[in-house]
Amino acid sequence: MDTTRRICYPVIAAIGVPVNLVAIVILSRGKCGLSKGITRYLVAMAVADLMVVVIEVAFYQIVETYRVYWLRPSLPFCLVHYVLCYVSLDCSVWLTVAFTFDRFVAICWSKIQNKYCTPRIAGRIIGTICVSFCLKNVPYYFLHKERASLFWNQCDQKSALHTDPQFEWFYWLDRLLNPLFPFFLILFLNILTVRLILASSRVRRGLRGQRKSENQQDPEMRSRRQSIILLFTLSASFLLCWATTTLVFIFLRSLYTDLETSIRLWMTQRAGTVIQLFSCCTNTFIYSVTQTKFREQLKIVALSPINLLVKMVRRCLAH
């Protein structure tokens, strides 16, 4: 497991930083054929994922794995860093929930779509999520500070705090908010969305008098396809990457296990953490696969340094 962590975390950092920066640049240009509301959610998700890669992966997991503690020179810096780790993970997860609910409303609740699925509402929800989880994670600073005072003001690992009985109630609240409730909420919303899409498709085929053998396409359903594909691929990626961590947590907390089983589950949870953090690198690849205009913009961004170099060479040759 240590060998796997030593390999995987640098890979996640090396991939996650550039791909999220590219996603932020491309989506911010607003030329991907997506609505402004969707674009705001996707940009916010890319920023949150970038924060997770930098703060959680690079400056915590890699530091702990390779034991380069000189990167955390002082106790206050270490405590603030721990808080930022929790904030970035919470924001990344709940922005995915917010995006899923926004698409659920757009696809299934047409009556309130025009009022809810707007750039202004998206901005307010993103701001509320970020502020709320900054406030929610402030107690971590004082909890870690109290524990550090017991160990000669040394910055201890985040996981060490979870064994403290006084921390149990706050730990359960934190686990409910991330990942238990978001995981099952996203799963539930996607099940409802699939059910309503199938029902509405049958009704519309009946009204249009279509048969299974006919190849005629419904213009309205075709216009929804882009949002549906984007929603399902992002949700599926999140659920798959977080499934191991979520299920292992449930087994460890709800079932009686012997020592050998507990050790195996603990090792599985550590592997699940690697998979979970890898989810911060997948969204840009999903956009590239599912969004034609995003691929076009990606080609433009990728070729822009080459085009700039060619122009500079031509100018030099002209002179």
Side-chain angles (χ1 to χ4, degrees):
M1 181 55 63
D2 287 339
T3 303
T4 302
R5 287 158 60 89
R6 286 175 177 270
I7 296 173
C8 289
Y9 286 135
V11 170
I12 292 173
I15 296 175
V17 172
V19 298
N20 283 297
L21 285 174
V22 168
I24 293 169
V25 171
I26 294 176
L27 292 169
S28 298
R29 299 175 68 182
K31 297 181 180 180
C32 296
L34 301 171
S35 67
K36 291 183 178 179
I38 295 177
T39 301
R40 287 191 177 184
Y41 280 116
L42 297 183
V43 171
M45 290 163 62
V47 172
D49 287 343
L50 179 62
M51 288 177 58
V52 172
V53 173
V54 174
I55 297 173
E56 173 72 19
V57 178
F59 287 101
Y60 177 71
Q61 298 293 352
I62 291 178
V63 168
E64 294 293 339
T65 302
Y66 287 89
R67 294 177 172 84
V68 284
Y69 298 117
W70 56 269
L71 290 174
R72 295 196 307 235
S74 63
L75 181 61
F77 175 85
C78 181
L79 297 176
V80 171
H81 173 246
Y82 282 166
V83 173
L84 292 177
C85 286
Y86 294 113
V87 171
S88 60
L89 280 171
D90 286 343
C91 288
S92 177
V93 170
W94 279 94
L95 286 171
T96 306
V97 174
F99 171 76
T100 304
F101 185 75
D102 180 88
R103 293 299 86 202
F104 171 75
V105 171
I107 295 169
C108 303
W109 285 356
S110 56
K111 293 182 179 179
I112 64 172
Q113 175 184 355
N114 294 332
K115 294 182 179 180
Y116 182 81
C117 302
T118 63
R120 181 171 58 87
I121 296 297
R124 289 183 178 180
I125 292 174
I126 292 168
T128 301
I129 288 174
C130 295
V131 173
S132 299
F133 284 104
C134 284
L135 296 175
K136 172 254 177 186
N137 289 296
V138 167
Y140 273 115
Y141 181 91
F142 300 99
L143 288 169
H144 280 290
K145 185 177 181 181
E146 181 181 354
R147 183 176 180 86
S149 64
L150 300 176
F151 293 91
W152 301 281
N153 288 325
Q154 293 183 359
C155 205
D156 207 354
Q157 292 185 358
K158 287 192 302 179
S159 57
L161 189 63
H162 299 168
T163 60
D164 191 341
Q166 297 179 356
F167 176 73
E168 190 70 18
W169 64 273
F170 189 77
Y171 179 64
W172 268 103
L173 174 63
D174 184 66
R175 295 300 92 185
L176 287 173
L177 291 175
N178 183 14
L180 293 181
F181 186 60
F183 182 88
F184 291 107
L185 181 59
I186 289 176
L187 183 63
F188 176 70
L189 289 174
N190 278 277
I191 291 173
L192 285 182
T193 303
V194 171
R195 182 180 177 183
L196 290 172
I197 287 173
L198 293 176
S200 62
S201 298
R202 287 195 295 267
V203 172
R204 293 184 68 82
R205 282 199 301 267
L207 292 175
R208 291 170 59 87
Q210 290 182 329
R211 296 180 181 178
K212 292 183 179 179
S213 60
E214 292 180 352
N215 239 353
Q216 187 179 358
Q217 291 185 344
D218 187 344
E220 182 175 338
M221 295 304 297
R222 188 169 60 250
S223 65
R224 290 184 178 185
R225 185 174 302 167
Q226 189 178 23
S227 293
I228 293 171
I229 292 174
L230 184 61
L231 168 64
F232 287 164
T233 50
L234 288 176
S235 299
S237 172
F238 175 85
L239 293 173
L240 289 173
C241 290
W242 281 82
T244 303
T245 304
T246 304
L247 295 177
V248 169
F249 174 80
I250 294 174
F251 290 149
L252 283 173
R253 293 288 171 166
S254 60
L255 301 176
Y256 174 78
T257 56
D258 55 23
L259 180 59
E260 183 179 355
T261 305
S262 298
I263 292 174
R264 289 180 179 178
L265 288 174
W266 180 75
M267 295 294 291
T268 305
Q269 188 174 31
R270 288 171 70 87
T273 301
V274 176
I275 301 171
Q276 162 202 318
L277 293 173
F278 187 73
S279 66
C280 297
C281 307
T282 58
N283 287 355
T284 303
F285 297 104
I286 291 173
Y287 305 150
S288 301
V289 172
T290 61
Q291 305 295 308
T292 304
K293 292 187 177 180
F294 184 89
R295 288 197 299 273
E296 295 173 358
Q297 292 298 314
L298 181 60
K299 291 179 182 178
I300 294 173
V301 172
L303 294 176
S304 58
I306 300 175
N307 294 332
L308 181 61
L309 181 61
V310 171
K311 289 181 180 179
M312 292 176 63
V313 172
R314 287 178 178 176
R315 287 179 182 178
C316 293
L317 294 175
H319 290 294

